[in-house]
Amino acid sequence: MTPIRTTCAYCGVGCGIVAMRTGARSVEIKGDPEHPANAGKLCSKGTHLGETVGLEGRLLFPVIGRKRASWDKALDLVARRFRETIAQHGPDSVAFYVSGQLLTEDYYVANKLMKGFIGSANIDTNSRLCMSSAVAGHNRAFGEDVVPASYDDLDAADLIVLVGSNTAWCHPVVYQRIRARCDAGAKLVVIDPRRTETAAEADLHLALRPGSDVALMNGLLAHCRDEGLVDEDFLAAHVETPAEFWETLGEGSDLWSVARICDLAPADLRRFYELFAAHPRTVTMFSQGVNQSIRGTDQVNAILNLHLATARIGKPGSAPFSITGQPNAMGGREVGGLASSLASHMDFAPDNVARVGRFWAAPSMACKPGLKAVDLFRAMGEGRIKALWVMATNPAVSMPDAGRVREALAACPFVVVSDVMEDTDTGRFAHVRLPAAAWGEKDGTVTNSERRVSRQRPIFAAPGETRPDWWIVKEVGRRMGWRTAFAYDRPADIFREHARLSAYQNDGVRLFDLGGKVAIGNHDYDALEPFRWGGDAFADGRFPTPSGKARLVAVRQMDLQDPLPKWPLTLNTGRYRDQWHTMTRTGLSPKLARHREEPLVEVHPLDIEALGLADGGLARVSTPQGESIFRVAASEGQRRGEIFTPIHWTDQQAAGGRTGLLPRPLTDPHSGQPGFKSTPAAIAQVPAEWRGFLLAGGEIERPACLWSVRVAVPSGSLYELAGNGRSEALEALLPKGERVEAIDHSRGTRRIAVMREGKLVAALFVTRTGLLPTRDWLIAQLGQAAGPTLLAGAPPGAREDRGPIVCLCFDVGLKTIVKAIGSQQLTSVEAVGAALSAGTNCGSCRPAIRQLIEENRSQAHAG
Ligand SMILES: Nc1nc2c(c(=O)[nH]1)N[C@H]1C(S)=C(S)[C@@H](COP(=O)(O)OP(=O)(O)OC[C@H]3O[C@@H](n4cnc5c(=O)[nH]c(N)nc54)[C@H](O)[C@@H]3O)O[C@H]1N2
Ligand SMILES: Nc1nc2c(c(=O)[nH]1)N[C@H]1C(S)=C(S)[C@@H](COP(=O)(O)OP(=O)(O)OC[C@H]3O[C@@H](n4cnc5c(=O)[nH]c(N)nc54)[C@H](O)[C@@H]3O)O[C@H]1N2
Ligand code: SF4
Ligand SMILES: [Mo]
């Protein structure tokens, strides 16, 4: 087999991969040493991509209602229903909701169909929830949505400031690059209300009050002005400064006021100011802690202001750096996939509408922005959107106030869902489900955080009747009557058209210009090497505004409300290291499950005490929008009064742990991005009389009880359970076979093993007071010949409990690491690596190991 060079399916770092097919649906994954984004490195998610390429759970043919249908029937139906709806209610009665996980070619065709042919701009994307505030901020400051940084800047920076970014977990390979730079002497400041693994490794962690970033950045800029660090020459030559700018900035910007608003120690704040003053080569990297706020755009501009005013932009090692989340968030911005932009970095100015209309020979151009995601689903709930097509996103889980979004989906007369998986929470609302080709089968391009375009190449043939998203959309376009405009035979056809549009009557007005690629042949497209557009943007001090100058934008800190008596807490939401969004793929990987098996609500230990919760117990988190049950985890990393839940779990894996139901649907006025990071909330303990787990080979139905979470295990199902009343009903879920039972009434313990031909096929363990055995050993016994000792859990002498797995690559548990730190006096990550191999492959767990060393230092020294 020849190795295939492609790009990772997950985050916006955009790591290059070398894939070696090892069977019909198996593949060996390695980092591509020649890809500039990662130089051979991969994180835990990329490393374990091979575990997610099986056909388990895939949607393999079109489905109308509940019945399998032919492509012809399904496509005709979609085209007819959209046509009819438009004829009856006008073009603005239909919408597409798409995703930064589409390839650029898919995205281009969807955007063209909606904005040029259907004649509405009602196409929005999950990127609205992700980086639309960065887009709006860039447009305000630079005149175009251009990220003025590259990863190379990290290698040249002396100070790296991470704002609202858990980089160690969410962009691990970039984080390793940051770490390497810091090991060489650069300073790291992390600004995040939580003490994340990223924050724990910083030279300075500012655990600021949520939503106070503008005050912090404005305070720093005021300090820079007072200390003479503002570059007046640069401002005069390259930046427009509004008359009120400095005056606005001055309000409440003294150190003491800023410290009070941000709830920070003045000494820490001063230290930050000093670090900033001392290191002109600064990269400020930001993501969702900044963007996902009802003042996200102002927060972005506060950061951009700082860099513009100190001329820390357009030079090596100096830049503000919005890091993107999804693999092709950036490609979506390029094609104009947001309802607020048109195409190729053009807005809805009449000239642009006319230009794009000419280029596409479009019969009905959209002339004004369409509905942004939150408004779109609201309009649908009000009956104004009557046909919706969702592609590559799971809004029933990931939208704020997801309960209302579900109601809107249920009320919409016609819902089409293109997905790679058969059963998703959103797919359940679909009238038509279309099977898309997945990562490993798709063919096209993606653009990463630093504007680098890379190829995704197919490793496998598309299985069953799955088709690439671009093909599905163009077929609908053709069936709606636009046969020549959607006559693409291959992704390269679309890429060339996209490149031509970017260059069409551009004349240097827009930096986004792929003019050099308009004539690329099919063969060269196949062989395309990663390249960056826009080069060293802004190095010449020119910005894509009419005056050629960038703009400072006067921004004010919003008033921060005190908590309400009924909702005394603030709910913050985000990601786990080894899960991706709604878990449709990472949820298949037993290895990835081992880092965090359950959705936890992290609470400060003093709050646990004050609120009558129990560490490890269950609690109901509620907000005005909804409620869901999580397992409580004490975390010193939380500020008091603030709790954190993960975004990943869905109806497919859990009863509870449903973060999407909780956030309020309030959005930033400029970008329309929801404020996911801050929702008034309450929490209360949920009593559970028993705990248990159910393990079985193959698939089993999700048990109906108070709390159940599915954990991926090799060739089987494991459910963690908790409930009240009798647990006997669970036995109905056990497969047929010979049962061995052990019941201890005094402890309320029931242990049942189901055997077939002497081999273990299922096990159910429930306890009211006692402990449960560790699952590892039992999982390994599935399908194995097993004796009566089985019901004791692990037999005497079996492997000890290793605790949660920290290093996935070498399968090393937390307890094993802590033990080795103590007994072998290990004081560095390298020493732990030498002793246990942990942390020596992908490196995603190195921050965790460092933290364990830190926490157990005394133990190591005491021997
Ligand atoms: N493992 C993993 N990696 C991923 C993803 C995934 O699902 N899993 N998803 C990808 C995607 S699409 C995205 S968008 C990125 C997101 O990457 P990140 O933005 O790094 O991730 P989050 O966990 O959403 O949030 C980042 C941090 O913002 C902090 N924060 C909350 N409120 C505030 C505030 O008011 N101010 C400041 N300064 N910080 C605040 C939170 O405490 C949190 O630690 O990750 C990408 N990478
Ligand atoms: N509370 C809270 N909510 C959040 C966030 C938060 O921080 N807090 N973060 C937000 C952010 S930044 C993001 S990016 C979103 C992510 O949220 P979503 O986009 O909803 O999450 P995914 O699970 O990535 O959904 C992708 C879907 O597309 C399918 N899919 C994968 N590949 C393909 C393909 O090639 N074609 C097709 N047609 N389908 C495919 C997958 O099976 C899956 O169903 O969540 C947002 N929601
Ligand atoms: S950092 Fe990890 S998830 Fe992101 S692109 Fe690289 S390997 Fe994939
Ligand atoms: Mo995202």
Side-chain angles (χ1 to χ4, degrees):
M1 289 278 169
T2 31
I4 292 163
R5 291 174 67 210
T6 183
T7 313
C8 179
Y10 299 117
C11 83
V13 176
C15 296
I17 277 177
V18 181
M20 190 72 118
R21 237 182 84 181
T22 51
R25 289 298 301 189
S26 58
V27 62
E28 211 179 274
I29 302 284
K30 291 223 159 62
D32 181 351
E34 278 158 39
H35 198 289
N38 58 320
K41 293 199 172 68
L42 293 177
C43 77
S44 45
K45 290 183 298 300
T47 302
H48 295 97
L49 257 171
E51 283 191 38
T52 68
V53 298
L55 295 184
E56 185 193 337
R58 282 290 297 273
L59 176 63
L60 293 172
F61 41 78
V63 176
I64 298 177
R66 289 168 179 277
K67 283 215 191 77
R68 176 172 180 165
S70 68
W71 269 112
D72 257 338
K73 262 209 153 128
L75 293 166
D76 281 341
L77 177 63
V78 174
R80 179 168 62 77
R81 288 296 299 266
F82 269 81
R83 240 185 5 242
E84 286 170 2
T85 310
I86 294 161
Q88 218 180 338
H89 304 282
D92 288 331
S93 67
V94 302
F96 295 168
Y97 183 59
V98 304
S99 160
Q101 291 167 79
L102 293 173
L103 303 183
T104 299
E105 291 74 5
D106 305 324
Y107 232 136
Y108 177 89
V109 181
N111 189 55
K112 177 177 177 182
L113 176 58
M114 184 53 86
K115 291 188 183 139
F117 291 76
I118 288 177
S120 166
N122 283 345
I123 172 171
D124 211 36
T125 141
N126 62 1
S127 290
R128 180 70 59 197
L129 319 179
C130 185
M131 18 83 335
S132 57
S133 294
V135 173
H138 290 153
N139 280 327
R140 288 206 296 187
F142 308 142
E144 185 178 347
D145 176 25
V146 177
V147 174
S150 77
Y151 299 147
D152 290 343
D153 285 315
L154 295 168
D155 305 337
D158 297 322
L159 171 66
I160 298 167
V161 184
L162 300 174
V163 196
S165 174
N166 187 6
T167 327
W169 279 15
C170 295
H171 299 97
V173 168
V174 154
Y175 183 72
Q176 290 186 24
R177 202 149 165 176
I178 292 174
R179 203 58 256 162
R181 183 66 192 160
C182 292
D183 290 345
K187 297 287 179 218
L188 180 65
V189 177
V190 173
I191 300 170
D192 190 318
R194 289 194 305 149
R195 190 172 168 83
T196 58
E197 273 184 16
T198 316
E201 295 209 299
D203 296 290
L204 177 66
H205 171 211
L206 298 179
L208 83 178
R209 186 174 175 194
S212 65
D213 293 79
V214 169
L216 180 64
M217 294 298 158
N218 278 359
L220 173 54
L221 181 49
H223 171 82
C224 289
R225 182 197 48 192
D226 297 345
E227 297 293 311
L229 294 168
V230 165
D231 190 329
E232 301 292 351
D233 294 341
F234 184 80
L235 284 186
H238 303 295
V239 183
E240 293 171 25
T241 308
E244 76 283 9
F245 182 80
W246 293 108
E247 200 183 319
T248 311
L249 188 82
E251 297 164 9
S253 63
D254 62 287
L255 186 95
W256 299 98
S257 304
V258 174
R260 187 174 36 76
I261 296 169
C262 301
D263 191 19
L264 292 169
D268 286 346
L269 198 56
R270 186 170 298 124
R271 172 103 199 280
F272 177 42
Y273 289 2
E274 285 167 4
L275 282 169
F276 193 84
H279 299 99
R281 286 198 295 188
T282 307
V283 172
T284 305
M285 196 175 240
F286 59 95
S287 51
Q288 299 317 340
V290 172
N291 296 339
Q292 285 175 344
S293 157
I294 55 169
R295 289 289 181 275
T297 307
D298 282 358
Q299 295 183 165
V300 169
N301 282 108
I303 293 171
L304 303 183
N305 286 343
L306 185 64
H307 276 262
L308 284 169
T310 55
R312 298 183 188 196
I313 189 164
K315 301 174 192 154
S318 297
F321 195 167
S322 149
I323 185 159
T324 50
Q326 299 176 89
N328 200 30
M330 193 68 94
R333 286 145 76 164
E334 291 159 12
V335 303
L338 289 158
S340 40
S341 51
L342 178 52
S344 270
H345 282 199
M346 282 177 267
D347 62 12
F348 288 91
D351 278 2
N352 290 335
V353 173
R355 181 179 308 113
V356 176
R358 260 192 318 277
F359 180 84
W360 280 339
S364 57
M365 278 299 293
C367 309
K368 59 172 195 333
L371 292 168
K372 302 183 178 112
V374 171
D375 296 335
L376 193 157
F377 283 96
R378 192 173 290 137
M380 203 161 78
E382 291 163 4
R384 288 185 281 132
I385 298 292
K386 297 171 194 302
L388 173 76
W389 188 353
V390 179
M391 301 173 207
T393 174
N394 200 353
V397 182
S398 56
M399 286 287 294
D401 198 6
R404 291 305 91 64
V405 167
R406 284 166 186 241
E407 286 167 20
L409 283 164
C412 184
F414 190 60
V415 177
V416 183
V417 173
S418 299
D419 206 289
V420 302
M421 302 309 281
E422 186 173 13
D423 200 2
T424 67
D425 288 14
T426 303
R428 292 184 177 182
F429 296 94
H431 301 94
V432 180
R433 286 185 291 137
L434 302 174
W439 183 85
E441 300 147 14
K442 300 199 284 192
D443 187 5
T445 56
V446 290
T447 310
N448 74 0
S449 293
E450 54 161 3
R451 290 180 265 123
R452 190 177 300 279
V453 180
S454 300
R455 290 278 279 115
Q456 271 196 14
R457 297 186 173 91
I459 305 164
F460 309 106
E465 293 181 16
T466 60
R467 295 283 185 277
D469 288 288
W470 65 265
W471 183 91
I472 304 174
V473 180
K474 71 108 182 172
E475 279 301 312
V476 169
R478 287 167 67 86
R479 284 160 210 253
M480 289 180 78
W482 301 298
R483 301 197 73 79
T484 46
F486 293 92
Y488 307 111
D489 291 328
R490 55 182 72 76
D493 295 343
I494 305 165
F495 182 82
R496 281 186 287 266
E497 184 178 312
H498 168 57
R500 271 198 294 123
L501 174 56
S502 74
Y504 182 61
Q505 299 175 348
N506 186 336
D507 303 323
V509 176
R510 286 163 271 123
L511 269 176
F512 176 64
D513 184 342
L514 304 181
K517 304 279 187 241
V518 296
I520 191 169
N522 294 341
H523 179 76
D524 288 342
Y525 176 78
D526 282 343
L528 187 67
E529 289 292 326
F531 71 95
R532 281 183 81 217
W533 61 260
D536 297 326
F538 311 152
D540 56 359
R542 280 194 60 78
F543 294 85
T545 55
S547 66
K549 290 182 174 187
R551 306 176 192 116
L552 292 176
V553 181
V555 291
R556 277 197 178 82
Q557 173 62 45
M558 67 172 154
D559 289 336
L560 296 170
Q561 252 100 51
D562 285 332
L564 306 162
K566 189 167 177 215
W567 309 108
L569 303 173
T570 302
L571 171 69
N572 178 4
T573 62
R575 293 158 167 81
Y576 282 172
R577 189 189 83 191
D578 291 341
Q579 292 299 345
W580 177 261
H581 296 170
T582 72
M583 293 173 73
T584 60
R585 283 166 306 169
T586 47
L588 301 173
S589 163
K591 279 237 168 151
L592 293 177
R594 302 305 306 273
H595 177 243
R596 291 260 170 118
E597 293 186 334
E598 295 181 330
L600 306 172
V601 54
E602 289 170 61
V603 189
H604 191 278
L606 293 175
D607 282 339
I608 290 193
E609 215 180 291
L611 296 162
L613 306 172
D615 186 13
L618 299 179
R620 178 174 288 108
V621 178
S622 47
T623 70
Q625 289 68 243
E627 58 176 50
S628 193
I629 296 176
F630 295 79
R631 193 175 292 293
V632 176
S635 165
E636 301 268 3
Q638 287 298 128
R639 284 164 50 97
R640 289 209 60 186
E642 293 166 23
I643 58 177
F644 179 87
T645 63
I647 62 174
H648 309 293
W649 274 265
T650 73
D651 284 353
Q652 312 300 314
Q653 306 100 3
R658 298 292 318 290
T659 290
L661 303 175
L662 306 173
R664 48 187 179 177
L666 295 185
T667 58
D668 175 89
H670 305 283
S671 68
Q673 179 153 356
F676 279 123
K677 295 288 187 253
S678 183
T679 301
I683 189 168
Q685 190 178 16
V686 175
E689 289 162 8
W690 53 262
R691 295 181 304 123
F693 65 86
L694 174 62
L695 173 70
E699 287 294 307
I700 42 170
E701 211 182 299
R702 197 178 79 202
C705 54
L706 176 69
W707 165 255
S708 66
V709 176
R710 186 194 166 100
V711 183
V713 297
S715 64
S717 315
L718 170 67
Y719 282 96
E720 295 292 332
L721 310 167
N724 288 313
R726 292 163 66 83
S727 59
E728 280 73 4
L730 296 172
E731 289 172 31
L733 297 173
L734 288 170
K736 286 202 176 57
E738 182 197 331
R739 287 196 186 187
V740 193
E741 284 197 41
I743 297 178
D744 175 345
H745 287 292
S746 64
R747 291 215 184 90
T749 304
R750 295 167 64 78
R751 298 178 167 199
I752 301 176
V754 183
M755 320 285 293
R756 234 180 272 151
E757 291 163 9
K759 291 182 179 149
L760 179 71
V761 293
L764 173 65
F765 283 44
V766 174
T767 180
R768 285 175 185 271
T769 55
L771 296 174
L772 291 164
T774 54
R775 325 301 186 251
D776 272 15
W777 182 79
L778 267 174
I779 291 169
Q781 304 313 305
L782 265 188
Q784 305 291 320
T789 52
L790 200 66
L791 293 182
R799 269 210 300 202
E800 61 187 310
D801 176 14
R802 298 171 298 156
I805 301 300
V806 174
C807 171
L808 299 189
C809 298
F810 294 105
D811 208 23
V812 188
L814 184 140
K815 291 188 182 174
T816 313
I817 296 175
V818 170
K819 201 168 153 198
I821 290 172
S823 64
Q824 302 180 44
Q825 309 218 11
L826 307 175
T827 53
S828 69
V829 181
E830 287 66 34
V832 171
L836 302 169
S837 297
T840 57
N841 184 40
C842 82
S844 288
C845 63
R846 291 169 70 91
I849 296 175
R850 227 169 270 133
Q851 210 172 326
L852 288 174
I853 294 170
E854 196 63 38
E855 287 166 12
N856 295 281
R857 199 172 277 285
S858 52
Q859 203 192 342
H861 287 304

